[in-house]
Amino acid sequence: MQAILGRYGLGKVVDQEDDDLLLRDLLDMHPDAAEKIGPGVDRFRVIATPRGHHKGPEAVLVDGSKVAFSYQKCLDAPTHRQRVLAAMRTEIQPQVNTYYESRKASHTLVSDESGQPLAPADVHVSFHDIAMEFIQAADGFDAVDLTAETARGLALFTDRTLAERWHAHHQEHAVLGLLSAKENLRRPRP
């Protein structure tokens, strides 16, 4: 992160794709990501931190508003909410993998938004809206207990009945599609 901030002067737009993607991934890990991302991120700039002593990132949203954020907050230990969302992704990964493999086999690895060809490493499948709908019906994030994280850092639902309900909910309501990493992270968060 320090290297990225060092590459850009104050007020400059982060225009290198790898730097932009890292900032998008980082912002998505912020404990207040939904509020920070709002209607979606258009680009990032480097600004003086609120106290003016250091450089920091600023997200310029698609509606033109600007939101400064602490990259250090993004790197703090994940909240229970973030851990539950990660576990939900892990739980439905076989469904997502099957969808991805079917698209790959049919030679349709293109963005459903832009139509641009996608490299396998650049594919994201968004699930945030459907996850939030399920969590609301399950009485919130605090109602979900997780297993201890594995060596890969992944946890699962301890309540396997709830996990099966999540699998079924996702299977029934998900409309899977492919986006580039940048397109997915540009999408608004509810």
Side-chain angles (χ1 to χ4, degrees), residues 109-132:
L109 278 185
V110 297
S111 165
D112 292 331
E113 184 173 294
S114 67
Q116 295 296 313
L118 297 172
D122 191 35
V123 174
H124 277 216
V125 180
S126 181
F127 87 115
H128 197 271
D129 296 346
I130 201 163
M132 297 308 291

Side-chain angles (χ1 to χ4, degrees), residues 16 23 36-37 45 51 54 64 69 74 89 92 99 108 121 134 137 140 142-143 148 160 168 176 178:
Q16 293 182 29
L23 285 168
K36 296 283 185 186
I37 295 169
R45 295 181 338 130
R51 294 187 184 160
H54 305 284
F69 66 97
C74 301
R89 285 185 185 95
I92 53 100
Y99 176 75
T108 57
F134 178 81
D142 291 336
R160 298 315 300 160
L176 297 178
L178 300 179

Side-chain angles (χ1 to χ4, degrees), residues 34-104:
E35 294 79 27
K36 296 283 185 186
I37 295 169
V41 175
D42 182 53
R43 64 190 177 280
F44 293 93
R45 295 181 338 130
V46 173
I47 61 167
T49 58
R51 294 187 184 160
H53 302 295
H54 305 284
K55 290 179 177 179
E58 174 184 70
V60 179
L61 305 183
V62 295
D63 65 4
S65 61
K66 297 175 178 128
V67 179
F69 66 97
S70 165
Y71 70 86
Q72 292 174 334
K73 273 191 179 180
C74 301
L75 298 173
D76 288 342
T79 64
H80 181 68
R81 177 187 189 280
Q82 291 168 316
R83 289 183 65 238
V84 169
L85 287 170
M88 292 175 79
R89 285 185 185 95
T90 302
E91 291 282 358
I92 53 100
Q93 195 60 50
Q95 291 176 14
V96 173
N97 289 347
T98 299
Y99 176 75
Y100 171 79
E101 290 301 325
S102 72
R103 291 283 297 261
K104 187 175 172 185

Side-chain angles (χ1 to χ4, degrees), residues 1-42:
M1 191 58 211
Q2 290 298 320
I4 289 174
L5 294 174
R7 278 194 277 280
Y8 301 91
L10 290 176
K12 297 297 180 185
V13 171
V14 175
D15 59 1
Q16 293 182 29
E17 185 174 3
D18 287 345
D19 295 344
D20 182 85
L21 288 174
L22 185 132
L23 285 168
R24 288 175 190 279
D25 284 340
L26 196 60
L27 182 56
D28 212 34
M29 294 170 25
H30 194 284
D32 301 318
E35 294 79 27
K36 296 283 185 186
I37 295 169
V41 175
D42 182 53

Side-chain angles (χ1 to χ4, degrees), residues 107-183:
H107 305 289
T108 57
L109 278 185
V110 297
S111 165
D112 292 331
E113 184 173 294
S114 67
Q116 295 296 313
L118 297 172
D122 191 35
V123 174
H124 277 216
V125 180
S126 181
F127 87 115
H128 197 271
D129 296 346
I130 201 163
M132 297 308 291
E133 178 183 285
F134 178 81
I135 284 297
Q136 213 170 31
D139 297 326
F141 287 100
D142 291 336
V144 180
D145 291 322
L146 301 174
T147 63
E149 294 182 14
T150 65
R152 292 180 17 200
L154 304 175
L156 297 173
F157 288 21
T158 55
D159 181 343
R160 298 315 300 160
T161 302
L162 184 62
E164 291 304 319
R165 283 183 33 219
W166 165 234
H167 296 180
H169 180 83
H170 186 267
Q171 186 73 36
E172 181 180 344
H173 298 286
V175 178
L176 297 178
L178 300 179
L179 299 172
S180 72
K182 191 172 184 177
E183 289 169 337

